[in-house]
């Protein structure tokens, strides 16, 4: 423990100014002070953010500042915020300080503590091999395949199903993926954290997962640092245990929002739409640490809330630049009950090239996208003149597109208690075969409703349309 002692100059919400007589602590240093409220005592943790002059730092509190007063003694710990890493963190739910919050009194044993501030891997140590990470979700695997060791974003407004898709990917991962799961809740509701914890416990996969939460009601400093904390744990399993890690972040917008709050508290000049001027740097410091090595990979899937469904919002636009796959959710698809509510024409993936996914996958995906795009263009004509005014070729295109739309819906394992339908995991070969058979006209005359919420194409009931 450092002997460098300071005293509190001022407390403004989560912002604390501390005076040090001799040695001023560096940026990101962890400071602590004890508060005694009579009925309870607790430790206040502060992270240094700014140097105001030669003797005064400005920090953001990671815990509540209730009871903190001017003149209180502050200790410079001589270290940064740290997270525990090791096998005993598996199956546990932790906060940003590495403390268990799952109600289990079992202590964390045989763990090392690593700083949450780490530099990205140098380019010479990264893997340049491109592999697809299959999820078992037909629409995603076909049109926007994810990259092993890459970053994928789930973009959508409130209520479009980002968290549902994320939890389905977690569920599917354990049945087809020999790695570890790490869930990071940035600004999560406590209800969502509890539901996820209980769902994983019931599914028997909790021992292969670690959860790190910075809850919605906690200070902005917690929400800003919890993603770094989770990534530190992921890097340990990748670099020292040589294990693949699936890192799920929900929600990246709240990370940006917390950074904006911290910048505002620090008195920094805001930038476009009120976001912090360091928005791109804040995101890059996190995203650039997500990478794969020749021996293991961190694959990241990030939910990104899009404010007012505006994809030009700086938070969404800045996140786009880091991703290898973008899965865009659509409120229009939600209204049509086409689940997962993914917009296939707005979504994309850098993996969808013949050299990576193969000629067959590439050609089927192009044909499906072309058919859906032609249907989108014909919708205005159908709305004005009616379906019967289309040419025979266009009518066939529309029917195939509507069959494809419904075939690419899928019941999820994680929504069984809502829908009553058993979940389906569909391999990429079954997905490609189904799309090929629809595009070849094998199911012409089969009602489109027969394709809704099924797994493989063999489940289609081929009764012809009634006259």
């Amino acid at each position: 423990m450092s002997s460098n002692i300071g005293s509190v100059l001022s407390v403004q919400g989560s912002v604390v100014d501390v005076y040090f007589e001799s040695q001023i602590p560096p940026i990101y240093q962890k400071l602590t002070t004890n508060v005694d409220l009579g009925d309870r005592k607790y430790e206040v943790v502060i992270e240094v953010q700014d140097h105001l002059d030669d003797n005064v730092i400005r920090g953001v509190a990671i815990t509540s500042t209730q009871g903190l007063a001017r003149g209180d003694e502050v200790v410079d710990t001589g270290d940064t915020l740290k997270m525990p890493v090791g096998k005993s963190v598996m199956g546990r739910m932790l906060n940003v300080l590495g403390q268990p919050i799952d109600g289990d009194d079992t202590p964390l044993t045989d763990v090392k503590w690593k700083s949450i501030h780490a530099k990205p891997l140098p380019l010479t140590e990264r893997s340049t091999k491109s592999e697809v990470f299959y999820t078992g979700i037909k629409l995603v695997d076909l049109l926007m395949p994810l990259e092993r060791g890459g970053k994928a974003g789930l973009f959508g407004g409130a209520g479009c199903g980002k968290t549902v898709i994320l939890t389905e990917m977690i569920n599917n991962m354990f049945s087809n993926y020999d790695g570890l799961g790490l869930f990071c809740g940035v600004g999560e509701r406590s209800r969502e954290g509890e539901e996820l914890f209980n769902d994983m416990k019931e599914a028997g996969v909790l021992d292969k997962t670690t959860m790190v939460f910075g809850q919605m009601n906690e200070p902005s400093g917690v929400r800003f640092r919890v993603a770094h904390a989770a990534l530190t744990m992921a890097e340990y399993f990748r670099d020292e245990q040589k294990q693949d890690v699936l890192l799920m972040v929900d929600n990246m917008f709240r990370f940006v929002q917390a950074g904006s709050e911290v910048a505002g508290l620090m008195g920094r000049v805001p930038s476009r739409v009120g976001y912090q001027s360091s928005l791109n740097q804040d995101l890059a410091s996190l995203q650039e640490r997500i990478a794969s090595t020749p021996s293991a990979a961190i694959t990241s899937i990030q939910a990104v809330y899009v404010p007012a469904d505006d994809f030009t919002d700086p938070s969404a636009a800045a996140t786009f630049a880091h991703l290898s796959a973008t899965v865009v959710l659509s409120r229009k698809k939600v209204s049509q009950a086409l689940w997962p509510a993914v917009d296939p024409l707005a979504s994309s993936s850098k993996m969808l090239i013949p050299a990576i996914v193969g000629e067959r996958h590439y050609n089927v995906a192009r044909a499906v996208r072309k058919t859906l795009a032609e249907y989108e263009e014909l919708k205005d004509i159908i709305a004005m003149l009616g379906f019967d005014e289309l040419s025979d070729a266009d009518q066939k295109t529309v029917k195939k597109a509507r069959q494809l739309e419904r075939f690419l819906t899928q019941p999820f394992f994680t929504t069984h208690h809502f829908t009553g339908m058993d979940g389906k995991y569909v391999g990429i070969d079954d997905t490609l075969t189904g799309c090929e058979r629809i595009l070849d006209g094998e199911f012409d005359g089969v009602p489109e409703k027969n394709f809704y919420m099924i797994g493989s194409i063999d489940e289609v009931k081929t009764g012809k349309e009634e006259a």
Side-chain angles (χ1 to χ4, degrees), residues 167-348:
T167 51
E168 183 70 6
M169 287 178 176
I170 296 171
N171 181 82
N172 291 354
M173 176 193 76
F174 289 113
S175 54
N176 295 273
Y177 176 75
D178 186 28
L180 302 173
L182 215 161
F183 185 91
C184 175
V186 184
E188 281 287 86
R189 301 167 185 87
S190 54
R191 170 185 59 78
E192 293 172 332
E194 185 183 13
E195 285 175 359
L196 183 67
F197 184 81
N198 290 333
D199 287 347
M200 290 196 170
K201 202 170 185 178
E202 286 174 22
V205 296
L206 195 59
D207 61 329
K208 294 180 75 177
T209 313
T210 301
M211 284 174 267
V212 186
F213 278 90
Q215 290 168 209
M216 193 175 267
N217 63 319
E218 294 189 277
S220 52
V222 173
R223 289 176 275 121
F224 190 51
R225 287 296 177 224
V226 69
H228 294 93
L231 193 48
T232 298
M233 301 173 83
E235 287 170 332
Y236 166 80
F237 287 112
R238 177 196 66 192
D239 298 336
E240 297 191 35
Q241 299 296 317
K242 308 298 182 189
Q243 288 182 288
D244 283 357
V245 180
L246 180 61
L247 172 66
M248 289 140 295
V249 184
D250 188 7
N251 184 302
M252 282 306 293
F253 170 74
R254 295 199 191 110
F255 168 77
V256 172
Q257 197 175 42
S260 181
E261 288 177 32
V262 168
L265 291 168
M266 291 288 105
R268 294 169 188 156
V269 178
S271 183
R272 205 172 136 223
V273 200
Y275 288 105
Q276 66 271 41
S277 53
S278 58
L279 169 61
N280 286 305
Q281 180 187 344
D282 291 345
L283 267 173
S285 69
L286 184 72
Q287 300 280 11
E288 288 305 301
R289 289 170 63 184
I290 301 169
S292 57
T293 65
S295 55
I298 299 174
T299 302
S300 171
I301 302 170
Q302 308 163 10
V304 186
Y305 168 69
V306 181
D309 293 348
D310 178 13
F311 285 89
T312 64
D313 186 88
S315 63
T319 308
F320 267 118
H322 294 277
L323 306 175
S324 55
T326 56
V327 181
V328 178
L329 283 86
S330 159
R331 207 169 293 283
K332 193 173 180 183
K333 299 289 183 188
V334 172
S335 67
Q336 295 171 320
L338 296 173
W339 301 101
V342 175
D343 186 337
L345 301 179
S347 305
S348 63

Side-chain angles (χ1 to χ4, degrees), residues 10-49:
S10 70
V11 182
Q12 301 175 59
S14 296
V15 177
V16 183
D17 290 353
V18 183
Y19 176 83
F20 286 88
E21 180 70 40
S22 55
Q23 183 184 351
I24 192 167
I27 301 295
Y28 299 150
Q29 196 91 313
K30 175 185 171 183
L31 315 178
T32 61
T33 180
N34 293 310
V35 170
D36 187 351
L37 295 178
D39 58 334
R40 63 191 174 97
K41 298 178 181 179
Y42 63 92
E43 185 180 68
V44 177
V45 178
I46 301 162
E47 184 179 66
V48 178
Q49 290 286 334

Side-chain angles (χ1 to χ4, degrees), residues 55-132:
N55 296 96
V56 180
I57 65 94
R58 177 163 287 173
V60 171
I62 304 297
T63 52
S64 170
T65 55
Q66 184 184 2
L68 192 61
R70 286 183 188 177
D72 282 357
E73 189 177 272
V74 178
V75 177
D76 173 8
T77 64
D79 220 332
T80 60
L81 292 173
K82 290 188 169 186
M83 284 298 284
V85 293
K87 290 185 178 178
S88 67
V89 302
M90 302 310 299
R92 303 302 299 270
M93 186 190 286
L94 310 173
N95 64 14
V96 74
L97 297 173
Q99 300 162 341
I101 53 172
D102 50 15
D104 185 349
D105 294 331
T106 307
L108 298 175
T109 55
D110 298 324
V111 294
K112 292 192 285 187
W113 290 80
K114 293 180 75 73
S115 171
I116 68 169
H117 300 285
K119 291 182 179 179
L121 275 178
L123 291 175
T124 51
E125 294 179 23
R126 298 188 182 214
S127 169
T128 55
K129 189 177 178 182
S130 294
E131 293 178 61
V132 176

